[in-house]
Amino acid sequence: MGQQRPMALNVVMLGPPGAGKGTQAERFARTHGLPKISTGDILREAVHNGTPLGCIAKRTMDAGELVSDEVMIGIVAERLKRDDTCPGFVLDGFPRTVVQATALDEIMDKRGPLVVVDIVVPEEVLLRRLAARRICGSCGVNAPVEWVTACGNCGGRLVHRTDDGNEVVRERLKVYHRETKPIVEFYSGRPTFQQIDGNQPPDVVTTSMDAAIRAASLVPKEARL
Ligand SMILES: [Zn+2]
C-alpha cells in the first residue's frame, strides 16, 4: 500500500527522414528502460521465428508486395503482449495508416495513455541534413556526426549516401508527408499529441521530448480522445 505505480510511457514516434527520429527514439527508450519497437525489426523477427503471421508476411514480401495492415497489426499486437512493454514502449514505424492507428487504439484500450510525438523540422533544414548524411562504405550503417572519417563499427570509410541527391530527397520527403498526413490528422486533436521542434541541437530535442511525454502521460483517460 502507498507505493505509487509508475505511469507507463507508451510512445509513438513520427517524423520525416532527417528529423532525428531514430536517434531520439533510441535515447528515450534507453533512458527509461523501455523496448524500442521498430516495425522493420519485429517483422524480421516474426519471419525468422516462423510465426503464423511471420509466414504470411514472408510470402507477401517474397512476392514483392507490401505487408497488409491486418498482418502488420497482428505482428505489433503480438509484440505488445510481451512483459517488457509493461512499463511502456517506443514504437517506430507504426502506425503507417489510419487503419493501423485505429487498431492501435483498440490494443491500448485497457493500458496507459498513448503519447504521439511528431518531430517537426523545416524542409530546408531536412534537405541540408540529408545531403550531409553519411553511411559506412563497408557495413552500410548510418554514421552519427561524432564519426569524423571512420566507421565506429568496423573502421570502414564513411561515404555520402548516393541516393541522397536533392531531387531524390525532395521526393522522399513528399512521399513521407503524403503518407503521414492522415496519421497526423488522426492524432492531432488529442491532448496526448505532442509536436516537438526538431530544429534544435539533439540534446535540446531530447530534453523537450522527455518533458512533453511525461506531461502527456499524465493526461486523464476521459480527456484523451
Ligand atoms: Zn562500418
Side-chain angles (χ1 to χ4, degrees), residues 136-141 147 151-158:
C136 169
S138 304
C139 73
V141 75
W147 297 356
C151 172
N153 269 356
C154 74
R157 202 167 60 86
L158 301 182

Side-chain angles (χ1 to χ4, degrees), residues 149-183:
T149 53
C151 172
N153 269 356
C154 74
R157 202 167 60 86
L158 301 182
V159 295
H160 286 285
R161 293 175 50 142
T162 45
D163 69 344
D164 281 354
N166 229 337
E167 272 323 295
V168 180
V169 168
R170 249 180 238 281
E171 187 54 33
R172 271 169 70 201
L173 291 177
K174 226 168 41 195
V175 169
Y176 173 81
H177 286 297
R178 191 173 58 225
E179 285 177 350
T180 314
K181 206 169 160 239
I183 305 290

Side-chain angles (χ1 to χ4, degrees), residues 12-17 21-22 36-44 61 65-73 76 91-105 114 116 172 175-187:
V12 163
M13 297 282 302
L14 304 175
K21 178 177 61 125
K36 175 179 174 285
I37 302 173
S38 96
T39 41
D41 290 346
I42 55 172
L43 202 52
R44 267 189 295 277
M61 289 187 291
E65 285 158 27
L66 280 177
V67 176
S68 68
D69 280 338
E70 200 191 343
V71 171
M72 216 49 246
I73 290 162
V76 169
L91 255 181
D92 183 8
F94 186 94
R96 279 239 162 85
T97 64
V98 171
V99 174
Q100 293 179 4
T102 308
L104 183 58
D105 276 348
L114 183 70
V116 180
R172 271 169 70 201
V175 169
Y176 173 81
H177 286 297
R178 191 173 58 225
E179 285 177 350
T180 314
K181 206 169 160 239
I183 305 290
V184 170
E185 277 166 6
F186 181 85
Y187 288 124

